[in-house]
Amino acid sequence: MIMSVKVKDSSSVMRIGILGLGTVGQGTWKHLVKNSDFWPKILGVELIPTRASVRTLQKVRNIKLDPKQLSTDSQSIVDDPEIDLICELMGGVKEARELTLRAFAKGKSVVTANKALICEHGGELFKAAEEAGVSYCFEASVAGGIPIIKVLRESLVSNDFPLIYGILNGTSNYILTRMEKEGATFSEVLCDARELGYVEADEGLDLDGVDAAHKAVILAYLAHGIWVNLDEVTVEGIRRISNEDLKAAKDLGCRIKLIGVIRRNFTNNHVAVAVHPALIPIEETIARTDGVHNGVCLNGTVVGTVVLTGRGAGQDPTASSVISDLVDVVKNIRGISTMPKLVHVSPTLCSPASPEEIHGRFYLRLLVDDRPGQLAKVADCMAELGISLATVSQTPHENNKPASLILTTHQTNEHSVAQAVAKLEDLPGVMEEPVLFRMFDPDGY
Ligand SMILES: NC(=O)c1ccc[n+]([C@@H]2O[C@H](COP(=O)([O-])OP(=O)(O)OC[C@H]3O[C@@H](n4cnc5c(N)ncnc54)[C@H](OP(=O)(O)O)[C@@H]3O)[C@@H](O)[C@H]2O)c1
């Protein structure tokens, strides 16, 4: 299948040129095409990925496109008058900077995921975009799929941030999590991480804290309007963390995480940016953010503490942020209100689910009189409705007093369990209305 949409007249389409069709570029192309029916509904225009640049034309890609859409000449895409918007997803600094500035000069807005570029040249690029009257969006550059930049700049606009901290690099978090949970050594987990494609070609970016430092610098700018030079950031990585350290931290009620920390002293307005391993008390959400996940904790002066966690990298999460930026850019260009519509999905697509379709496990507490065979009768009643019990416990009974029977079920559905409760209520020996709770499992919803 060719991953492209049929081109219509120019007023009803925005054509997108993607510089770099690797992990993030392919994800962006794929989801733009997958949702092609949706863009006209919310934007009044189609979003059409039209051309992409790569280093090697021969490389096998997971999405198939017309060979005419691929080029090794990124500049020709930037210059193409048919292309309205640019996504810079090639990485690197020098060429990405030049192409971005060139796009601005041509009056084209740019969406990027390139944290290294923004960290090094953000000041220059932001100014150039402003002067050219175009947008420059970079949600995907910090914490991948987590919409941290939007939350920081828009949702929490009334706040100052004395402290922002969190896990900004999923690879190092993956390594530390496995070392702690499995007792595996740093080099063992690093080998696995390489095989899984989690580690950047330049490993120091992940392991020495540099990638996290790029993101911390961007967050510091967004929160405090100051570009902190990378040389002024304390940057330590995870190479010196041993299994012994992880165990000792655990004994202290903590876990060791590689965190970016941005502090501002509001008395003298000094800002400190650092990336380093730290012992964090286990009850903090960031301490419990594991694997490749990222987590950012924002301490706002008005809202208090807000924590966002989620997938900080990977094809789909990062594409999600890139496309969110694209939608914002198009809204801006087309003068569409940035206030989302009250309902932005099709009002006819979905319909209410029936109780039979809602599955889960349940907890039931029954007050029963202590007569022989009571438990068997309850179990039969459940079995007749196809509900199997996972656990059964009974409080110790004294002097023929009523006893509490606590049952948990295996997977069943709301309809069957409602019928069971009605039957149990009428069962001789059940002394009051059964207490029913859902056992909520977000992984098995
Ligand atoms: N991967 C993630 O999860 C993630 C998350 C957040 C942010 N980011 C950022 O997103 C950007 C892209 O990352 P990625 O993981 O998608 O990288 P990637 O998989 O290495 O893809 C880079 C793409 O750019 C192309 N490219 C590189 N240099 C080029 C050049 N000079 N001219 C034309 N094409 C060129 C490559 O072509 P070939 O395919 O022919 O080599 C490849 O298609 C980076 O800035 C990265 O830091 C990535």
Side-chain angles (χ1 to χ4, degrees), residues 403-421:
S404 271
L405 202 54
I406 293 179
L407 317 171
T408 65
T409 74
H410 286 299
Q411 285 283 332
T412 179
N413 65 68
E414 292 272 349
H415 177 69
S416 301
V417 105
Q419 284 185 306
V421 168

Side-chain angles (χ1 to χ4, degrees), residues 237-254:
I238 60 167
R239 293 186 205 256
R240 300 207 59 212
I241 302 170
S242 67
N243 297 80
E244 191 185 353
D245 297 319
L246 293 165
K247 161 92 178 50
K250 199 171 177 187
D251 293 343
L252 293 166
C254 296

Side-chain angles (χ1 to χ4, degrees), residues 237-285:
I238 60 167
R239 293 186 205 256
R240 300 207 59 212
I241 302 170
S242 67
N243 297 80
E244 191 185 353
D245 297 319
L246 293 165
K247 161 92 178 50
K250 199 171 177 187
D251 293 343
L252 293 166
C254 296
R255 297 182 74 193
I256 300 182
K257 295 289 183 187
L258 182 75
I259 52 169
V261 189
I262 300 130
R263 295 182 180 88
R264 173 166 165 190
N265 175 337
F266 279 89
T267 311
N268 59 17
N269 285 323
H270 290 173
V271 173
V273 182
V275 170
H276 50 64
L279 278 75
I280 306 180
I282 187 68
E283 57 275 10
E284 296 296 324
T285 307

Side-chain angles (χ1 to χ4, degrees), residues 19-26 53-57 59 61 71-74 88-92 95 99 112-117 140-145 200 211 215 312-315 318:
L19 312 183
L21 203 63
T23 306
V24 184
Q26 291 184 69
S53 65
V54 291
R55 251 182 319 223
T56 323
L57 290 171
K59 210 183 244 183
R61 312 210 177 251
S71 167
T72 52
D73 181 1
S74 300
E88 184 277 290
L89 303 173
M90 61 198 283
E95 200 178 345
L99 290 164
T112 187
N114 193 333
K115 52 256 179 180
L117 175 64
S141 67
V142 181
E200 297 253 11
D211 171 76
K215 296 165 183 169
Q315 180 162 87
T318 313

Side-chain angles (χ1 to χ4, degrees), residues 366 368 374 377-379 381 422-431:
L366 306 173
V368 292
Q374 190 65 37
K377 276 193 240 155
V378 169
C381 173
K423 277 183 83 174
L424 287 171
E425 209 172 336
D426 294 338
L427 195 73
V430 173
M431 302 181 68

